[in-house]
Amino acid sequence: MFALSSLQSSFSASRSKASFGKVHASSRYTAGAHSSGFRHSPVVQAATTTAQPSVQLNTAQNSQPRKIRAIEFAKTVKGGAINVRVNVKPVNADNALITIEVADANGEDTSNLAAHWAITKEGSDDWQVPPENITLPDGSVPFGDGIATRTPLPFSIVVPTNAVGDEDEIASLVAIVVKPGGGDEEWMHADDGVPFVAPLGAHMQGSTLIKKFARMERDGDMNNFKRYCTANETVGEIIAAADEDAGMAKGGAAALFTWIRMAETRALPLYEGHNYQTKDMVHVSEVLACKVALAATRSDETGRLFRLLMGNLPRGGGGGDDIRMGILNVMRDNGIKEGHRPGIECKFIQQWHQKLHSSTTPDDVAICEAYLHFLRGSGDWNDFWWHLNEYGNLTQEDLSKMKVGWKNQDGITGPAVHLPHVHDAFVWFRGVLRQTHSGIQLDRANEFAHWVMDEGLQHEINDLLANRNEWWVPGKIVELRSRLQHSWRGQEDGYAARDALHLDIALERHFRGMIEAMDVDAMSADDVADTLRLALESGALASSGEAMCLASGLWSRINAEKNWGDARWLSVAASGLDFVALALEEEMDSLARLVSPASVEIGRAGKADESYIVNFGEECVRGHPLFVCSRLIQALQRSVRQSAGIGPWTVVGAGVNGDGTATGVPVNQLLDTLQGPAATAAVQELADGSPVVLISETLDGLEDIPPGVAAVLSKSGVDLLSHVALRARQSGALLATCSDDQYWDALVTSLTATPSPVRVTVDISTGTVDVSEGDAVAAATSSSSAKAAAGAVSLSPVDTSISSWAVAPAEYAPGVVGGKSSNLATLAQLASEISSITGVDVRVPQSIAMPFGSLERTLAMPENADASSALDEALTALDAATDNDGTLSALANAQSAVLQLQMPDGLAAEVAASAQTAGLTSLASASSDDWWPAVRQVWASKWNLRAHSSRVALGVAEADLQMAVLLMEVVPSDYAFVLHSRNPVNTDDESVLGEVVVGLGETLVGNHPGSAMRFTAAAPEQVIVAALPSKLEAMKMTESSVICRSDSNGEDLENFAGAGLYDSFMTNGVSTHTVNYANEPLLWDASFCTSLGGKLAGVAKTLEILLGAPQDIEGAVVGDVVYLLQARPQQL
């Protein structure tokens, strides 16, 4: 079993000096005669009695208290003989209690053991003296170097995390166990060669690790030995944080992966700084590979990031000195000059020997293979360089930088003497190098992993490798990898996890290579569908997150039931492919978001090429195993659309509003001509500063989207994860492609016929495009602008003299609350009548409201004088703002002021009493801490940008817009819906148009990615399902909750809906998860969809009749019950 004790530290002494050689003296301890380092042997007066903790809590209030992680871990020292335990636990928000003690002595004498310790600060590994306000444990004495302290074991110490100030916080307590013994004391380094590090929490978050790694690169003298040593310290701390704070651990893993990945791709220097012995690099590589392999066995995103890291690490291990001694023996056995020994003069071998003696890396395998190619040739040294570049991705310049080793000022330049007789010796030496560095080369990985597999699996993998290019190999790889899982998942032996995981990654890479070699355009649709199933199943074995695993299950069922002649199956397949594409985009975009910040800071600190830094996130996406799914998805989407008669348009980026629309001046010009620093100015010139709808016939996938481009329409197929697709989604540009030449030519003719602004709408579900005049559509679709122009909007009058903080539904009245609350009360009165007419169980959730004037009364309270003054200043600045920056700043300050409001006395009690009366028990029993922040957020949304812009456009004064708050029970929806009782696309059609999603309605009204189940119904028994659902996420209730909804006097008016201008917030008890469509009746069950659509259509038409006008309706379905959550007059 792999444990830290089983990896003996052959580099302990050199490791400790290398890592902690930089020290800073402090006035707390006067530096002694040996202050230049910390490993010295002055006489230490160490107490032999048991140390008792001295606890003095820091009671000072930190403005931003750090979260201290509770953590306990153990390490072995003295070859596994002694087990030492470290425990960190929070005492309060600002203090941690750290204990170091012997957990198991195994018969060893531990009576005289002591900890040699210090602290580290954020962003630094340097040992530093504890600050003055930390009380040292009994028996503590200064070591004598002005830095470290000696304290007998066991000991406990309270460390205040804000002891040295917010900008210079303590990160860790670090320690080494020692056994004092006069002038010959014993230093018991942990058996993994890494000191005991007791982390205090925040330093494992991604941003702090990024700064740490960037500082190391900025300091210079960096190589992979230093990086691997630091990574060894970091891996365990990230995993220790993962169970308590998954987000922090994920950020830390992403930072570490980015750092090592940038080094392994040679974007960061590999051969600077001090030299090290080859055996030390072999050992530290082995320790790191085993630690990372164990971390990669986790099934969460942190584990998947460690798996990606594992694909960038050498195997480590081998014979320790085999590399250094191996090259020496080859030279000696074959008469090649070495040092002062006479022999054949070969400049290349002498230079390479010096590098191998002091710095071995995976580059040495490529160098050896290029040298063997040279030996097999005619003796032309250019053959070496060709092979090195072609197969090793190394250049002459790269080798010239390998200036490591004794008297090696030129790096590796050669030339080599042509010595064919040494060929076999270097074949052997290549095997020595591969033993350490080639863990993921498929054949070597198979050899290394034989010991972790049963004989049957060994035989089948050997047979697969013997037939590795046969057509059946991809499917066989998925099968064998599924059987290999038990060799590394849940593994506790780091060596076994390392070798099994390297083989798994190697098989996955071979699978990817075979898929990429396929001519997808020449394949049948059935074959592409089967290949996508295999690719998704392969990802689900290890590389996929929850969304892609669910996508795999969904597509497996769709593929198993495929029937290209069945319209229903084609609809299911189209929605399924949309879901798979969304899941792929989400997981890959998430990866790019995680690694990009680290690549910028670390890359610039290490002076990496700027273009590499900018594209690092995309490079990681392209290197991900799931990348092969992208073109398979697109090929199938084309096939499904053609078979179903769906239009040829594919939306890759849905635009700033996520609805497939964009408005701008059409310009027929290739996107690749609008790149570089002058692109922004060039776009502005194209349309005199107006937004541009760019008609770019071709795309190569590598373009950026310049500012000012609202949409890019193209005839080129665009990979879902291409550079241009990623940039489109990041910038909010609409990006859509057309697969039909005839459709494309017609569109180009239509768009280029006029220089006027146009509004382009690409229907994501039907694959069709619509073009209309931009100004006219803008007026029609922006109700606030249209009504302002007509002068038809008048806000509802309000009564701000209401003395109550809360009112029940019976008190909802015009002037007291807004249209949202009033309409809800009306729905409650009509619910039973609707039920009797339709036969549907219709209900309305319980609610109360905080009436108009509540915000103003709260602002007038003495305890809110500062917040009120800050709001007044912000509104004055808003009136005076002359540009966008000034407006945004004033709005932000206004919202900030409202969010600082303190709750007035008596408000909480009155809300609870009103909620109890209304039957809203979840609110009546809730703490005000649950709902008061949400109320403030609703009030603050009065000053969001879209609401302010709407008021300006309508000519509405700030003081005229009043905000009530509706506090409503959240219904635990199975499904949520939006109904238009009259089809808004064609108002002559009196059919109901409805959309339904799984879970709560926020994914529907909030434009979450994907489509809803969409239907029309001329009557309850005449339902036509137009589209099936593909929403990626659903929101579900986890406990009873309340939603605080905006209810202004500028919403739900007869002549102005104002929907979406102001915000609503849930208090708690809601989670978001990926939808599992594999058995979802809303996708698979046609009768369920038509039955549900008919039921909802009947409710909508009945409500329209009872209210005397078409209605927009929001609601929820729970079992057989339909809840009406909101209704307002439909704007036709």
Side-chain angles (χ1 to χ4, degrees):
M1 177 182 295
F2 170 76
L4 299 179
S5 59
S6 64
L7 296 177
Q8 300 302 314
S9 178
S10 60
F11 68 103
S12 296
S14 63
R15 169 68 190 94
S16 58
K17 290 178 182 177
S19 293
F20 306 110
K22 296 180 181 179
V23 295
H24 303 291
S26 167
S27 60
R28 178 160 186 172
Y29 296 142
T30 301
H34 304 287
S35 61
S36 60
F38 76 89
R39 186 179 179 179
H40 309 295
S41 54
V43 177
V44 176
Q45 302 296 324
T48 58
T49 57
T50 301
Q52 298 298 320
S54 174
V55 180
Q56 293 185 0
L57 301 183
N58 172 29
T59 57
Q61 294 298 312
N62 189 340
S63 60
Q64 293 183 321
R66 295 173 60 200
K67 182 179 180 181
I68 301 166
R69 287 188 294 109
I71 180 175
E72 180 174 291
F73 66 92
K75 290 190 182 191
T76 58
V77 299
K78 204 174 181 181
I82 300 174
N83 193 286
V84 178
R85 179 168 55 224
V86 177
N87 181 278
V88 181
K89 66 179 181 180
V91 178
N92 58 30
D94 298 302
N95 299 275
L97 176 64
I98 301 175
T99 302
I100 302 179
E101 60 187 349
V102 175
D104 190 352
N106 289 316
E108 294 284 332
D109 179 14
T110 61
S111 61
N112 200 32
L113 294 185
H116 179 95
W117 65 277
I119 59 98
T120 65
K121 297 179 182 178
E122 292 292 353
S124 174
D125 286 329
D126 297 339
W127 287 40
Q128 301 186 40
V129 65
E132 295 285 352
N133 61 345
I134 289 183
T135 302
L136 302 182
D138 293 341
S140 298
V141 295
F143 173 61
D145 62 353
I147 310 287
T149 298
R150 285 288 178 83
T151 302
L153 292 182
F155 85 85
S156 296
I157 183 171
V158 171
V159 178
T161 59
N162 62 353
V164 290
D166 292 343
E167 301 300 320
D168 200 15
E169 292 179 321
I170 296 174
S172 315
L173 183 147
V174 289
I176 296 172
V177 175
V178 297
K179 188 169 187 177
D184 189 26
E185 66 184 12
E186 183 178 4
W187 286 66
M188 297 181 179
H189 293 267
D191 289 328
D192 64 347
V194 179
F196 293 86
V197 179
L200 296 176
H203 75 301
M204 290 317 306
Q205 60 192 2
S207 59
T208 309
L209 282 179
I210 290 170
K211 289 180 172 60
K212 174 181 177 178
F213 300 154
R215 176 188 56 78
M216 293 177 67
E217 296 296 333
R218 196 175 295 111
D219 288 347
D221 294 337
M222 281 301 296
N223 53 50
N224 266 4
F225 181 73
K226 288 184 178 180
R227 294 187 186 98
Y228 285 7
C229 288
T230 300
N232 264 321
E233 299 170 4
T234 305
V235 172
E237 296 172 5
I238 293 173
I239 293 304
D243 291 332
E244 182 174 342
D245 192 332
M248 183 170 66
K250 178 174 65 177
L256 183 59
F257 162 72
T258 300
W259 190 36
I260 299 300
R261 173 70 179 170
M262 295 187 85
E264 294 303 321
T265 53
R266 305 187 192 96
L268 300 175
L270 295 180
Y271 301 103
E272 295 182 2
H274 70 279
N275 298 327
Y276 48 84
Q277 294 187 35
T278 298
K279 64 182 178 65
D280 289 345
M281 184 60 170
V282 168
H283 176 72
V284 74
S285 299
E286 181 176 55
V287 174
L288 181 59
C290 290
K291 284 186 174 182
V292 171
L294 289 175
T297 64
R298 297 179 62 90
S299 58
D300 56 10
E301 191 162 9
T302 296
R304 293 191 292 277
L305 286 164
F306 275 117
R307 179 185 173 89
L308 292 177
L309 174 56
M310 192 69 185
N312 290 273
L313 292 178
R315 179 175 182 269
D321 257 358
D322 284 357
I323 293 177
R324 183 176 66 90
M325 294 305 300
I327 188 67
L328 282 173
N329 290 332
V330 169
M331 295 169 72
R332 292 169 180 172
D333 292 346
N334 291 278
I336 300 171
K337 182 178 180 182
E338 177 262 316
H340 297 295
R341 293 174 180 269
I344 301 169
E345 293 268 2
C346 181
K347 185 177 182 181
F348 161 74
I349 291 182
Q350 290 172 348
Q351 291 172 329
W352 189 27
H353 159 241
Q354 288 300 322
K355 175 192 181 298
L356 291 168
H357 185 81
S358 303
S359 175
T360 183
T361 68
D363 289 344
D364 292 314
V365 177
I367 292 171
C368 189
E369 290 176 339
Y371 180 56
L372 286 169
H373 176 74
F374 162 76
L375 293 177
R376 289 190 290 265
S378 61
D380 185 349
W381 185 234
N382 288 324
D383 289 346
F384 172 87
W385 295 118
W386 173 85
H387 191 283
L388 189 71
N389 184 258
E390 185 75 10
Y391 295 99
N393 196 29
L394 287 166
T395 66
Q396 287 180 261
E397 183 182 0
D398 292 329
L399 265 64
S400 70
K401 295 177 181 178
M402 298 180 183
K403 299 175 182 180
V404 291
W406 184 66
K407 294 184 177 179
N408 184 6
Q409 303 302 317
D410 300 323
I412 300 175
T413 60
V417 178
H418 193 236
L419 304 171
H421 71 283
V422 303
H423 177 274
D424 291 348
F426 275 98
V427 169
W428 169 84
F429 186 62
R430 179 180 60 183
V432 173
L433 291 169
R434 285 176 170 176
Q435 180 80 9
T436 294
H437 296 304
S438 298
I440 305 183
Q441 196 278 330
L442 182 55
D443 294 282
R444 298 294 290 177
N446 184 42
E447 293 174 20
F448 294 142
H450 260 209
W451 71 282
V452 301
M453 296 184 285
D454 61 63
E455 291 185 5
L457 185 56
Q458 289 179 30
H459 173 78
E460 292 195 53
I461 292 180
N462 290 339
D463 181 66
L464 179 140
L465 296 186
N467 299 278
R468 67 187 68 195
N469 295 318
E470 295 295 330
W471 65 268
W472 49 264
V473 165
K476 191 64 177 179
I477 286 178
V478 175
E479 176 197 331
L480 295 178
R481 286 187 58 224
S482 67
R483 291 166 56 188
L484 185 63
Q485 297 284 294
H486 76 277
S487 296
W488 62 271
R489 282 209 182 273
Q491 183 62 258
E492 296 180 0
D493 183 332
Y495 297 107
R498 173 198 62 183
D499 290 342
L501 192 55
H502 266 162
L503 176 58
D504 187 61
I505 293 171
L507 287 168
E508 188 176 43
R509 289 184 177 182
H510 187 67
F511 174 91
R512 171 179 175 159
M514 294 197 72
I515 302 301
E516 288 179 332
M518 294 178 178
D519 184 356
V520 174
D521 292 334
M523 294 167 61
S524 70
D526 278 351
D527 286 345
V528 177
D530 287 337
T531 304
L532 177 60
R533 174 185 60 80
L534 285 175
L536 292 171
E537 288 178 2
S538 175
L541 289 173
S543 299
S544 296
E546 180 193 23
M548 285 303 292
C549 287
L550 291 174
S552 176
L554 172 61
W555 186 250
S556 290
R557 179 176 176 183
I558 293 173
N559 186 59
E561 300 181 15
K562 60 179 174 282
N563 182 349
W564 295 94
D566 181 72
R568 173 71 189 181
W569 180 86
L570 289 170
S571 295
V572 172
S575 292
L577 287 168
D578 286 345
F579 178 84
V580 174
L582 288 169
L584 181 62
E585 289 173 9
E586 172 58 30
E587 292 201 10
M588 295 300 97
D589 289 352
S590 175
L591 174 62
R593 288 192 299 268
L594 278 170
V595 302
S596 293
S599 69
V600 171
E601 191 160 349
I602 295 172
R604 287 175 179 167
K607 300 180 180 178
D609 183 84
E610 188 66 22
S611 63
Y612 176 88
I613 293 171
V614 170
N615 292 300
F616 180 79
E618 179 189 338
E619 186 265 337
C620 291
V621 168
R622 288 182 169 275
H624 196 280
L626 289 171
F627 187 78
V628 295
C629 296
S630 180
R631 66 187 186 125
L632 297 172
I633 293 169
Q634 288 196 310
L636 281 169
Q637 285 177 326
R638 289 193 298 270
S639 296
V640 168
R641 283 177 174 148
Q642 289 170 4
S643 299
I646 300 174
W649 283 91
T650 299
V651 175
V652 181
V656 68
N657 295 317
D659 57 0
T661 64
T663 301
V665 175
V667 175
N668 193 353
Q669 185 166 337
L670 296 180
L671 179 59
D672 66 7
T673 65
L674 299 171
Q675 303 297 298
T680 301
V683 171
Q684 291 178 340
E685 291 179 6
L686 290 174
D688 295 327
S690 297
V692 168
V693 173
L694 196 67
I695 309 163
S696 181
E697 181 167 355
T698 61
L699 295 171
D700 63 20
L702 299 177
E703 299 93 344
D704 281 312
I705 306 290
V709 173
V712 177
L713 308 178
S714 180
K715 194 171 70 171
S716 294
V718 175
D719 193 284
L720 293 171
L721 301 177
S722 65
H723 180 88
V724 71
L726 293 170
R727 290 294 186 262
R729 291 195 290 271
Q730 291 168 359
S731 66
L734 170 66
L735 175 59
T737 64
C738 181
S739 59
D740 186 284
D741 290 344
Q742 186 175 1
Y743 277 83
W744 173 258
D745 292 341
L747 177 76
V748 172
T749 300
S750 171
L751 287 176
T752 55
T754 173
S756 303
V758 296
R759 181 179 179 87
V760 177
T761 302
V762 183
D763 191 307
I764 298 173
S765 61
T766 63
T768 58
V769 66
D770 178 71
V771 178
S772 54
E773 292 184 10
D775 290 340
V777 174
T781 58
S782 174
S783 51
S784 58
S785 299
K787 299 302 181 183
V793 174
S794 58
L795 302 186
S796 299
V798 299
D799 181 359
T800 58
S801 65
I802 305 297
S803 60
S804 300
W805 286 113
V807 294
E811 302 170 275
Y812 295 173
V816 177
V817 294
K820 199 171 293 182
S821 298
S822 297
N823 292 345
L824 190 67
T826 300
L827 292 176
Q829 295 169 0
L830 295 175
S832 60
E833 187 174 357
I834 298 172
S835 296
S836 64
I837 294 172
T838 62
V840 178
D841 187 353
V842 176
R843 305 179 191 179
V844 174
Q846 304 296 335
S847 69
I848 65 168
M850 294 179 64
F852 292 132
S854 297
L855 170 59
E856 289 71 22
R857 290 174 60 198
T858 301
L859 284 165
M861 295 294 172
E863 59 267 33
N864 289 316
D866 290 344
S868 180
S869 177
L871 179 60
D872 288 341
E873 291 179 10
L875 296 183
T876 299
L878 185 63
D879 287 339
T882 58
D883 57 22
N884 191 54
D885 289 344
T887 297
L888 290 174
S889 176
L891 290 172
N893 290 336
Q895 290 186 308
S896 176
V898 175
L899 293 175
Q900 295 174 28
L901 290 173
Q902 298 180 43
M903 184 185 295
D905 291 340
L907 189 152
E910 195 168 332
V911 166
S914 183
Q916 188 67 44
T917 301
L920 187 52
T921 56
S922 59
L923 178 61
S925 60
S927 166
S928 59
D929 292 338
D930 292 336
W931 52 265
W932 176 243
V935 169
R936 291 184 302 190
Q937 287 176 298
V938 172
W939 283 339
S941 73
K942 176 179 176 179
W943 289 285
N944 68 49
L945 180 60
R946 64 182 179 276
H948 171 72
S949 300
S950 173
R951 291 195 296 275
V952 170
L954 293 167
V956 175
E958 292 292 320
D960 291 344
L961 195 287
Q962 297 289 315
M963 184 73 75
V965 181
L966 174 64
L967 292 85
M968 188 178 76
E969 169 192 7
V970 178
V971 176
S973 310
D974 298 326
Y975 302 100
F977 60 82
V978 169
L979 304 173
H980 308 280
S981 68
R982 182 171 298 181
N983 192 327
V985 178
N986 180 3
T987 55
D988 293 332
D989 180 2
E990 296 189 0
S991 297
V992 174
L993 175 63
E995 292 184 313
V996 184
V997 296
V998 177
L1000 300 177
E1002 275 59 34
T1003 58
L1004 181 55
V1005 299
N1007 273 330
H1008 287 224
S1011 298
M1013 188 276 276
R1014 185 179 304 115
F1015 69 90
T1016 58
E1021 65 279 0
Q1022 299 177 17
V1023 175
I1024 299 174
V1025 176
L1028 292 174
S1030 64
K1031 290 282 186 183
L1032 185 64
E1033 295 179 334
M1035 298 177 71
K1036 289 284 189 180
M1037 295 283 298
T1038 58
E1039 58 181 294
S1040 59
S1041 182
V1042 170
I1043 184 170
C1044 297
R1045 308 185 70 175
S1046 63
D1047 191 27
S1048 76
N1049 63 331
E1051 296 175 87
D1052 294 355
L1053 308 177
E1054 289 188 7
N1055 56 357
F1056 178 60
L1061 291 179
Y1062 309 98
D1063 299 324
S1064 299
F1065 298 91
M1066 292 188 193
T1067 58
N1068 53 40
V1070 176
S1071 66
T1072 300
H1073 64 90
T1074 306
V1075 181
N1076 184 359
Y1077 283 112
N1079 295 294
E1080 173 53 57
L1082 197 64
L1083 176 65
W1084 290 97
D1085 192 334
S1087 61
F1088 175 81
C1089 292
T1090 54
S1091 174
L1092 178 60
K1095 179 187 296 186
L1096 297 179
V1099 170
K1101 276 301 180 185
T1102 301
L1103 189 59
E1104 176 183 309
I1105 293 170
L1106 292 175
L1107 292 176
Q1111 298 290 308
D1112 287 336
I1113 306 159
E1114 294 178 24
V1117 178
V1118 183
D1120 293 327
V1121 180
V1122 173
Y1123 282 86
L1124 299 180
L1125 309 181
Q1126 183 175 333
R1128 56 178 170 265
Q1130 187 174 340
Q1131 305 298 307
L1132 299 175

